[in-house]
Structure formats: C-alpha cells, structure tokens
Amino acid sequence: MRAFWALVRRDLRLSARIGGGGLNGLMFFLALIVLAPFAIGPDLNLLARIGPALLWISALLSTLLGLDRLFQADEEDGSLDLLQAGSLPMLALVSAKCLAHWLTTGLPLALAAPVLGLLLALEPVQLGLMSAGLLIGTPALTAIGAAGAALTVSLRRGGLLISVIVMPLMVPILIFGVASANAPLLGLMEASTPLKILLGLSLACVTLGLVTASAALQERG
Amino acid sequence: MYRFANPTFFLALAGRLILPCALLAAALLGWGLYMIFVLAPDDYQQGASVKIMYIHVPAAWLGLACYGLMTSSALGSIVFRHPLADVSGKALAPIGASFTFLCLVTGALWGKPMWGTWWVWDARLTSVLVLFLIYCGIIALWEAFDDPLRAARPVAILTLFGSVNLPIVKFSVDWWNTLHQPASVFRMGGSTIDPAMLKPLLVMAAGATLLMLALYLDGMRTEILRRRVRSLQMKQVGQP
C-alpha cells in the first residue's frame, strides 16, 4: 500500500511540476465552455438546454488531453519496466496512475463544473447534478482512456488513435451523465434513475478499463 | 483440431474451400434475389420497400457475427498465442466493418420512406453505429503498428474490451422500447415473419454467410502469404 501511495504522489508531483499539469486540463475545459456561447450565440434558453451536454463533452475532451502521455512517458525512459519489476502488481500500478490522473483532471472538472454551469445558465439543481454526475462518471472516462493509452503505449503518435479507440466506448457514460443533468429540466423521470445507472456503468467501466489497461501493459512487446 | 491450426495445412484447405464457398454464395444470393423480386409478396403497409429487409437483416446479423468470431479469435491470440488466431482477427475486421456499414446504409435507406427520416438516435441504431466505430478503431490500431506481429496482442485486448457492446446491440430493442422494431425472427414463441418472406430472408442470410466465409478464408490466406513475403524480405535485408 505504501508503494501505491508513493506512486500516486510521484505522479501528482510530476503533473504539478511539468507545465502546470493538472491546471492545463481545467484551462482547456474553461476555454471550451467559453467558446461555446460565441459559436452558438448568447441565447440563454438554448444554452441552458444544451449546457449539460456541452459540459460533458468538454469534460470528455479534457480527459482525453493528457492520456497519450499517461504511460508513454514512463515507457520511454524505462521507469515503467522498473515499476513493473517492483513489488506492485500491474493492476495496482495502473490503478495508482489512473488515480493520479483523475485527481488532476476529473476531480477539478467536477468541482469547477457548477461555476462553469452558471455561465451556461443552468438551474441550481442542475449544477449539483452536473457535479455529482461528473464525480461519478469521470473515473470511468479516465479508466477507459487508460485502456486506450496502454494499448497504444509503444506507438510514437498514438494521441489521435487513442481518441478514435476510446470515444465510442465512452458513449454510454455520456448518455446517462447528460440524462441525469437534464432530468429536472425535462421532467420525464427522477434524476436519481440515470444517476444510479451512471454509477453502475461507471463501476463496470472502471473495473474493465483498469483490467484491460494492465493486461495491455503486461503484453506490450 | 490441431491439424487445422497449422498454417500450411490451413492454406491448402482454404485454397480448396474458397472457390466452392464463393460459387455457392453466388448461387444462393442469386436464388434469393430472384425470390425477393419475383416470388415474395410486397408488404401490405410498406409496399416494395420491404425488400430492403432482405439485405439489411443479414448484414446486421453478419456484422454482429463477425465481431463474435473476432472475439473468439482474440481469446485464441491471448490464451493460446496462436498466430493463426491473430490472422483470423485481422481478416475479420474489415469484413465485419463492411457488413455493419451495409446494415447502417440500408437501414437509412429503409428508414427514409418508412420512418420519414434517414437516422434517429434510437438505442439499436446508436449501438450499431458504436459497433461500427469500434470496428474502425480496431482497424486503425492494426494499421498503426509497423510490425503486424506486435499489433496482434493490443488488438486482441481491444477486441475483448469492445465485445461488451455486442449484447447491448442484440438486446437494445428489448431493453429500450424505441423506434426500431424488436427481434422478430429468432424469438421465444417462434418467428413473427410470414413464411413467404421468411424463406427468402433465410436464403439471403445463408448466401451472405457463405460470402462472408469466402472473404474470410481469402483474407486469412492473403494475410498469411503477406506475412511470409514480409519475413522473406526481412531475411533478405539481413534483419532477424
């Protein structure tokens, strides 16, 4: 367990020291949200209607942002081999790296979402749901992304490929994330229903994603 | 069983099977088309546009079936580490992607006159589109590696990961009550399709399956030969 937390701390420190790491994703998120009203027009009703979708898509894109370096940086300088030879099993190793990635991307996004939701004229109840949905859903995005990153770890230019591989698999998370935030607006169902489905999906995706990522790293030739 | 796993034996077998498969596929598809356009009745509601079904449904079945086969190939590559399983997975990806694409296109052509729209974001349609995107991702990953031998493992893992989508595609019409009609051929309590339409459909499905088989065997044979050429070239250049 100490090795696990040491690895998390190492990755957090790395992301903080190399180019502001964690904050970059947040700035990207902010830039996307600010761009949207310019592209769509400042119609508040329209923005409120599509706001949750915009926030979720931005969150998805920000998660994808740093993925290509998630394992590659360690693979290139050999530290991944060292870690693999250490006491930590591969699955724990992957989990630690994903946890650090989520702490620097998913968590800040979930915390910032209510503030940015104000810019998109979301209802107060939607702001809370947005935050809750992102808190539940972003770990799954990270884990699925980690699977893509691990599969393309030995490729020079894997960045675009990761997105191609990973985005279709993120569709269910997106659907139920947006559905939960839109539920009070549309009034078709309780917001807790899609939120529970999202939670179940997220747990399944985290498990599958982490196992896939560690299998892919173990099999890397 | 192990004899079939020998690439040389497989090449000989495939070489003998491809032509009969292709001819039989052509015959069945020809017979099916004759039945569709001459014998089978028009639908009382849909008119002649129901004939799209005879292409659409087999394409959808095969799009799913190819992914199922690819999943078992992926298991073969990961568990038994057999090169023939890698080759099988690689040959299946473009075939499955093509059938899925065909299914989407014929579905859109059918949807326009019947539902009044080319496309709706209905559960079945969306999950089939996701299946197509996963196929594209798998093909892209195959192409991304310089050395096809090194691509096999990652692609196999991705294939297994993507197979989660298969049951979603299959059962999406039962789980979500949406525009696409529920399963009507293989269902509890028998098919709901009239025999006059079911028979041409099954003939078309058999023909399309044989076509898939011929393309599959040919794709595998080509891939094995391509790999042999590659290793010969490598030897010539003097690399191990």
Side-chain angles (χ1 to χ4, degrees), chain B residues 1-182:
Chain B
M1 184 64 206
Y2 288 107
R3 236 155 62 88
F4 293 101
N6 177 335
T8 309
F9 181 78
F10 174 82
L11 274 184
L13 185 74
R16 237 172 296 151
L17 279 179
I18 290 170
L19 191 62
C21 270
L23 287 178
L24 200 56
L28 277 175
L29 288 176
W31 184 35
L33 285 176
Y34 171 75
M35 284 204 289
I36 293 166
F37 285 103
V38 181
L39 301 180
D42 285 351
D43 190 81
Y44 78 104
Q45 263 183 334
Q46 306 189 13
S49 75
V50 75
K51 298 191 190 303
I52 297 174
M53 173 193 74
Y54 302 108
I55 308 284
H56 176 73
V57 174
W61 282 344
L62 287 172
L64 280 177
C66 280
Y67 204 97
L69 274 175
M70 240 162 67
T71 309
S72 38
S73 302
L75 279 176
S77 347
I78 290 180
V79 178
F80 302 109
R81 322 238 147 191
H82 202 289
L84 212 53
D86 306 345
V87 171
S88 154
K90 183 162 188 182
L92 278 166
I95 303 173
S98 312
F99 276 118
T100 311
F101 184 69
L102 191 65
C103 166
L104 287 169
V105 170
T106 52
L109 291 176
W110 197 7
K112 184 63 186 167
M114 288 307 110
W115 295 341
T117 170
W118 299 104
W119 184 263
V120 283
W121 290 98
D122 142 282
R124 171 58 75 78
L125 276 67
T126 309
S127 55
V128 172
L129 183 63
V130 168
L131 178 69
F132 178 66
L133 292 177
I134 292 176
Y135 269 126
C136 291
I138 287 172
I139 295 173
L141 192 59
W142 269 118
E143 299 302 324
F145 286 82
D146 308 330
D147 182 355
L149 300 179
R150 285 182 57 216
R153 290 294 141 65
V155 173
I157 293 172
L158 177 62
T159 308
L160 288 183
F161 192 32
S163 67
V164 184
N165 189 38
L166 280 191
I168 301 182
V169 175
K170 174 74 185 79
F171 296 111
S172 54
V173 279
D174 303 327
W175 292 342
W176 292 283
N177 194 3
T178 50
L179 195 51
H180 194 287
Q181 64 165 336

Side-chain angles (χ1 to χ4, degrees), chain A residues 151 154-155 161 165 212 216 219, chain B residues 81 140 144 150 153-154 157-158:
Chain A
L151 286 168
S154 57
L155 296 173
L161 188 61
I165 291 175
T212 307
E219 296 280 352
Chain B
R81 322 238 147 191
R150 285 182 57 216
R153 290 294 141 65
I157 293 172
L158 177 62

